[in-house]
Amino acid sequence: MKKKSKVDFWALIARIVLKNRIVILGVIVLLTVFLALQWKNIRFSFTEANLLPDTHIVNKEYNAFLDMFGEEGNLIVVGVKDDTFFTPKAFAAWDRLMRDIKSHKEVDLIVSISDLKKLQKNESLQTFELVPLVDQTKTINQEYLTSIKKELFGKMPFYEGLLFNKKNGTIRSAIYLDKQIVNTPGRRDYILNDFIPKIEAFEKETGIELRVSGMPYIRTLNAKSITDEISLFIGASLLITSLIFFFFFRSFRATLISIVIVVIGVMWTFGLLGLFHFEITVLTALVPFIGYRHWNSQLHFSDQ
């Protein structure tokens, strides 16, 4: 009796669906179009994915730290290790690079070799005064640059580990971005459209490879990688799934219907993210693909 009631229930559902199939298909099409229009509201998160609730003690302590000291992830470090760095051509190109970077409003502060000061004794006033380490009018002289290198590595241990490494000869510059743009699209636009092209132009001009690190730089490249790979992953998954469905069904019509259902499901998932203005993080970017896998499994079981 119980089995018969289950059969009657699903038979009733099937009759309702078949009787009103035009209306149901129309509603599905309208919802799909509506949710597809919400894709324009999809935004990528410019902060790291938060695995803990806002009320967790760790999050409370972190937010209190930010309120007191401000955003801490605004440092980019550019490093170079090359024997030709202390030559007139390379040093002039490095100085131009730092000045170009410093000229942007997104950059708050730069600490580089050209910004260093040293104590110099003033005999006439019998005092010490701060003077620039590098005299820019003499940097066209190779002997002068060699002397600067010796003075930096031999007489200025205070900057070791910050702007240079004596053991391996690495030179670094610290670039501090404006804290107000660190978690905004402005950071992404500056890194991708201004900062990286300048780094590449320096490498092309001098033949010296630069190493770049820092949270703003890494987060920007990771975000770009994820956004670029989402569409690639969807396309590749769709192609592979289409082939698998065709091998199972042996029918173009059945394969097409199955793929349309899967595509609609993915569109609805992204549409809901945009409708409720959820930001895409490393975690939420996986939601459509988890659903994608689930719909594939359901279609497979229904075929069985």
Side-chain angles (χ1 to χ4, degrees), residues 23-38:
V23 176
I24 294 174
L25 288 175
V27 171
I28 292 175
V29 170
L30 290 176
L31 282 175
T32 303
V33 172
F34 171 74
L35 292 174
L37 293 175
Q38 303 306 310

Side-chain angles (χ1 to χ4, degrees), residues 216-231:
Y217 181 79
I218 294 173
R219 285 163 59 183
T220 299
L221 294 189
N222 283 345
K224 184 177 184 301
S225 176
I226 292 174
T227 53
D228 291 343
E229 290 177 0
I230 285 178
S231 57

Side-chain angles (χ1 to χ4, degrees), residues 36-298:
L37 293 175
Q38 303 306 310
W39 284 29
K40 64 179 182 295
N41 298 322
I42 294 177
R43 298 172 298 165
F44 196 87
S45 175
F46 295 97
T47 60
E48 63 278 1
N50 193 351
L51 302 180
L52 300 175
D54 294 335
T55 55
H56 195 277
I57 184 61
V58 174
N59 267 336
K60 289 183 177 179
E61 292 176 352
Y62 178 71
N63 291 328
F65 174 86
L66 293 183
D67 291 338
M68 180 175 295
F69 299 103
E71 175 63 48
E72 83 286 4
N74 65 327
L75 172 63
I76 298 177
V77 177
V78 181
V80 55
K81 180 183 178 182
D82 197 285
D83 295 335
T84 63
F85 178 79
F86 284 97
T87 58
K89 178 183 177 181
F91 195 87
W94 177 266
D95 186 61
R96 285 196 304 272
L97 173 64
M98 293 299 110
R99 282 190 279 107
D100 287 344
I101 294 176
K102 189 184 297 185
S103 65
H104 287 270
K105 65 180 185 301
E106 292 85 357
V107 177
D108 190 31
L109 174 68
I110 286 184
V111 182
S112 184
I113 293 179
S114 300
D115 302 309
L116 297 185
K117 305 289 183 179
K118 65 178 180 178
L119 278 176
Q120 181 173 285
K121 184 169 63 174
N122 189 318
E123 297 287 355
S124 60
L125 298 178
Q126 296 184 347
T127 59
F128 288 98
E129 57 185 8
L130 284 174
V131 297
L133 172 66
V134 179
D135 185 350
Q136 296 296 336
T137 61
K138 299 180 181 179
T139 54
I140 58 174
N141 188 302
Q142 178 60 59
E143 293 182 359
Y144 175 74
L145 291 177
T146 302
S147 66
I148 290 295
K149 179 180 180 181
K150 291 180 180 179
E151 183 174 4
L152 178 67
F153 283 86
K155 299 181 180 179
M156 307 190 78
F158 178 78
Y159 297 109
E160 185 171 3
L162 177 63
L163 294 182
F164 71 90
N165 187 310
K166 188 176 181 180
K167 293 181 179 179
N168 56 27
T170 304
I171 301 294
R172 294 188 287 265
S173 285
I175 303 169
Y176 293 88
L177 298 184
D178 184 356
K179 293 180 179 180
Q180 301 301 320
I181 71 161
V182 170
N183 293 321
T184 67
R187 182 204 73 207
R188 176 200 61 200
D189 296 338
Y190 170 70
I191 296 295
L192 296 179
N193 301 330
D194 294 310
F195 182 77
I196 292 180
K198 284 182 171 57
I199 296 295
E200 292 175 346
F202 173 88
E203 293 178 333
K204 184 177 180 180
E205 178 186 356
T206 62
I208 297 176
E209 183 180 4
L210 299 182
R211 301 289 185 177
V212 184
S213 187
M215 285 302 296
Y217 181 79
I218 294 173
R219 285 163 59 183
T220 299
L221 294 189
N222 283 345
K224 184 177 184 301
S225 176
I226 292 174
T227 53
D228 291 343
E229 290 177 0
I230 285 178
S231 57
L232 177 64
F233 189 81
I234 290 178
S237 300
L238 188 61
L239 176 61
I240 295 173
T241 305
S242 301
L243 294 174
I244 294 175
F245 281 169
F246 181 74
F247 291 148
F248 272 108
F249 297 138
R250 299 293 180 176
S251 169
F252 286 107
R253 182 173 178 270
T255 301
L256 179 62
I257 293 173
S258 302
I259 292 301
V260 167
I261 295 173
V262 172
V263 169
I264 290 175
V266 174
M267 292 178 67
W268 280 31
T269 305
F270 277 115
L272 289 172
L273 289 175
L275 178 63
F276 294 104
H277 297 277
F278 288 127
E279 292 184 340
I280 295 181
T281 64
V282 175
L283 297 179
T284 56
L286 299 175
V287 171
F289 308 125
I290 295 174
Y292 186 87
R293 174 59 182 160
H294 173 71
W295 297 316
N296 289 346
S297 301
Q298 293 299 318

